[in-house]
Amino acid sequence: MRIEFSGIAKRFGDHQALKETTLALPDVHAMAIIGPSGGGKTTLLRLIAGLEIPDRGELFIDGERLESGQAALLRHRRSIGTVFQSFNLFPHLSALENIVLPLEKVHGYGRPAARDHAMALLERFQLAPHAGKRPAELSGGQQQRVAIVRAIAIRPRFLLLDEPTSALDPEMTAEVLDVIGELRTEGRDLIMVTHHMGFARSVADHCLFVGDGAILEEGPAEEFFAAPRSEQLRSFLAKILKY
Amino acid sequence: MSTSESPQSHIDVGDGAAIPTKSDVGLFTAWRIAFVGSIACCIFLAVYKPDPYLAIFKFVPDGILVTFKVTVGAILLAIVLGLFTGLGRISTNRLVNGIASLYVEVIRGIPLLVQIFYIYYALGRFVRIPDLFSAIIAMAVCYGAYMGEVFRAGIQSIPKGQMEAALSLGMSRRQAMRHVILPQSIKVVLPPIGNEFIALLKDSSLVSILAVSDLLRRCREFASESFTYFETYTVIALIYLVITLFFSKLIGIMEERLNAGK
């Protein structure tokens, strides 16, 4: 995927979440966004997801300018899969129905086709036995895996993951990271906000370090971790890798 | 009114909870004493003093039917009105929001009795509609405003992430509301709607001031012919009590079922 930020900025009330940012990423397939909490990582991701509109500037994805009209945003969101930190499965629907609903209501599948497609994906990720369960009956890891399946079921151009394991216990973190790694192996493009440096290093081909509302450093994953240029990234990595 | 993030949060709207709480357990609950006691009173009075009690009991069933018609008709209409008012109150469209908010503010500021008179005579100037219907419309217009607040609070009690997830999957706001938010709100709004239903059942006695022969009016007719005021009003009170208690229990059971099916 090709992503280009041209002077985009976003403010929430008094808080400048993202300062004017310009950056062109001509050819990334898996990008990790790291950085301290409240630094603007999630804002950046939500702008790409079309869930926020920038106050200023332009955003180009695969050469297409992201328009801010409702119809354009709707089209944009339909082409992207988003996974949230808090899963956000629909609690009144079963795992299967969570996946079927958007396929049927948004993406024009007939009910049988939507169910077949959803079931096939659940089977692929060893979730078939849980198809009929409500989210409350699933573990955190299972919920997040269902959420990932729901996001890829709509055949998105790429996947956005916002700290997908932050709300999980360590052993569940592993099962979710495994799924993400697997998606990457099969060539799916993704952008992920994460605190797992090891995982970012092994999966991502490009990394952004975001802090204080700005992209402080970016580069290919190998260099980024092996030879950080900025002082901020060095001290951030030192702190994170200390324990 | 307070709202919180939790979808199970309790919404308190209207004139207090009429539905017995779960903690009210045991053989001699307040509900059982009141319900069995009032039925026993009715039977006792009818058997031991058939004149005038039995005659009163024979006279009022028509009125009970009318009271039900008014209550059920008004609550159904009020739910529809309330749903749209609630949606209007959270709408980002300023005109829609303004109309919905104005409706709620105006209605909440006028006593129900005054509204009933007003709507009855205001409607009467333009169209001839049966008294029963204008009574139902008056009750529905009033309760629609309160119901609007119930729906607004119910919708707002659903965590923001649900709307976001629905939007991120490509749903429009309307689709998200219909398929994701409203189905989840039902569990939250059902208890307060139950309370509104019972409040409306009681308030429906106000329509007796119009030419609607509800329970109260039937009894007043009987009393003024037989001069048995004390006896007649005793019967009315007992009948309202039995009906209200019956429905509060029924709604309590429905609510429990709904929570069990979580």
Side-chain angles (χ1 to χ4, degrees):
Chain A
M1 70 194 126
R2 220 161 79 221
I3 294 182
E4 205 181 324
F5 307 112
S6 169
I8 60 165
K10 181 72 188 176
R11 161 188 287 281
F12 297 106
D14 286 340
H15 177 60
Q16 186 74 48
L18 195 67
K19 294 175 195 158
E20 208 167 287
T21 298
T22 298
L23 178 71
L25 302 162
D27 186 33
V28 291
H29 295 286
M31 184 162 75
I33 304 176
I34 64 165
S37 301
K41 305 185 297 286
T42 295
T43 306
L44 197 62
L45 200 75
R46 291 171 58 87
L47 284 165
I48 301 171
L51 289 170
E52 302 287 354
I53 305 162
D55 301 331
R56 269 175 293 133
E58 291 174 316
L59 176 62
F60 296 89
I61 293 169
D62 292 330
E64 254 175 77
R65 182 173 181 275
L66 181 56
E67 306 288 337
S68 61
Q70 281 305 318
L73 282 175
L74 209 63
R75 265 201 314 280
H76 175 68
R77 292 191 205 116
R78 282 177 187 176
S79 72
I80 290 173
T82 308
V83 175
F84 301 88
Q85 184 179 344
S86 49
F87 327 139
N88 291 347
L89 289 177
F90 306 136
H92 62 300
L93 300 177
S94 69
L96 181 68
E97 290 296 325
N98 259 280
I99 302 162
V100 166
L101 181 72
L103 291 176
E104 212 185 330
K105 302 297 173 196
V106 180
H107 297 272
Y109 283 65
R111 199 167 171 75
R115 286 181 72 97
D116 289 349
H117 181 48
M119 235 13 244
L121 282 170
L122 285 173
E123 248 156 58
R124 233 196 76 199
F125 292 99
Q126 289 84 48
L127 288 162
H130 308 299
K133 292 184 189 166
R134 299 272 178 97
E137 299 168 272
L138 299 172
S139 75
Q142 289 165 344
Q143 288 188 55
Q144 192 59 301
R145 279 155 58 207
V146 171
I148 292 172
V149 168
R150 184 174 70 174
I152 60 171
I154 62 173
R155 301 184 202 277
R157 284 189 284 170
F158 55 87
L159 210 54
L160 300 175
L161 305 115
D162 186 9
E163 300 193 30
T165 60
S166 292
L168 296 175
D169 295 338
E171 73 266 32
M172 292 175 182
T173 298
E175 71 180 62
V176 170
L177 291 183
D178 282 346
V179 169
I180 298 168
E182 205 180 314
L183 291 174
R184 183 62 211 118
T185 317
E186 66 186 39
R188 197 176 288 274
D189 285 357
L190 50 91
I191 301 177
M192 175 162 88
V193 173
T194 184
H195 290 298
H196 295 280
M197 297 306 140
F199 183 72
R201 191 171 184 165
S202 67
V203 165
D205 54 15
H206 204 91
C207 289
L208 298 186
F209 176 57
V210 176
D212 208 12
I215 297 175
L216 299 173
E217 183 162 344
E218 55 96 14
E222 264 321 304
E223 293 171 30
F224 186 87
F225 287 107
R229 280 166 285 144
S230 67
E231 185 49 45
Q232 289 114 311
L233 178 56
R234 263 199 297 276
S235 77
F236 178 76
L237 288 176
K239 259 184 271 174
I240 282 227
L241 298 173
K242 193 169 166 192
Y243 296 107
Chain B
M1 171 177 318
S2 68
T3 55
S4 88
E5 288 290 309
S6 153
Q8 267 79 41
S9 67
H10 178 73
I11 303 169
D12 212 1
V13 178
D15 57 352
I19 299 169
T21 58
K22 241 186 163 177
S23 61
D24 204 6
V25 290
L27 189 59
F28 294 102
T29 61
W31 184 86
R32 281 189 186 157
I33 294 169
F35 189 65
V36 176
S38 49
I39 289 178
C41 276
C42 289
I43 295 169
F44 176 83
L45 291 173
V47 171
Y48 280 85
K49 214 168 171 241
D51 179 36
Y53 287 107
L54 196 58
I56 301 171
F57 279 119
K58 281 183 178 162
F59 193 76
V60 295
D62 293 353
I64 296 177
L65 192 67
V66 172
T67 289
F68 272 122
K69 278 184 189 163
V70 171
T71 307
V72 173
I75 197 84
L76 292 178
L77 213 56
I79 287 173
V80 175
L81 254 174
L83 176 60
F84 284 106
T85 307
L87 289 170
R89 292 267 285 164
I90 54 164
S91 170
T92 47
N93 182 318
R94 289 176 91 173
L95 181 69
V96 173
N97 193 310
I99 292 171
S101 302
L102 192 67
Y103 165 57
V104 171
E105 291 305 329
V106 167
I107 294 299
R108 289 207 296 190
I110 301 172
L112 178 53
L113 188 56
V114 177
Q115 284 178 46
I116 289 173
F117 273 127
Y118 189 83
I119 292 172
Y120 180 72
Y121 289 112
L123 278 176
R125 288 180 80 121
F126 303 108
V127 278
R128 270 312 310 154
I129 53 170
D131 295 330
L132 182 68
F133 285 118
S134 57
I136 289 175
I137 290 169
M139 298 293 292
V141 166
C142 170
Y143 270 78
Y146 292 96
M147 213 68 99
E149 288 302 274
V150 170
F151 277 103
R152 182 185 63 77
I155 291 165
Q156 287 180 338
S157 74
I158 305 303
K160 278 209 176 83
Q162 292 290 310
M163 176 56 95
E164 297 239 295
L167 291 179
S168 81
L169 289 162
M171 289 188 210
S172 63
R173 281 190 172 273
R174 188 182 293 242
Q175 285 177 317
M177 198 48 90
R178 174 151 169 230
H179 299 295
V180 176
I181 307 296
L182 287 179
Q184 293 183 57
S185 313
I186 288 172
K187 205 179 284 179
V188 190
V189 299
L190 194 78
I193 286 181
N195 273 331
E196 293 293 296
F197 174 79
I198 289 162
L200 202 153
L201 183 70
K202 291 184 287 177
D203 279 349
S204 72
S205 60
L206 291 171
V207 303
S208 64
I209 53 158
L210 308 177
V212 176
S213 299
D214 78 324
L215 179 55
L216 180 59
R217 195 185 173 91
R218 284 290 282 176
C219 286
R220 270 168 49 203
E221 284 166 11
F222 186 89
S224 59
E225 279 166 21
S226 62
F227 301 104
T228 52
Y229 288 99
F230 170 74
E231 292 83 350
T232 311
Y233 282 104
T234 304
V235 170
I236 301 178
L238 284 171
I239 292 175
Y240 271 117
L241 192 58
V242 171
I243 297 174
T244 310
L245 288 168
F246 172 76
F247 278 105
S248 63
K249 191 71 177 176
L250 192 70
I251 291 163
I253 291 169
M254 272 169 68
E255 203 185 311
E256 241 164 69
R257 288 259 167 91
L258 203 68
N259 280 330
K262 235 188 273 211

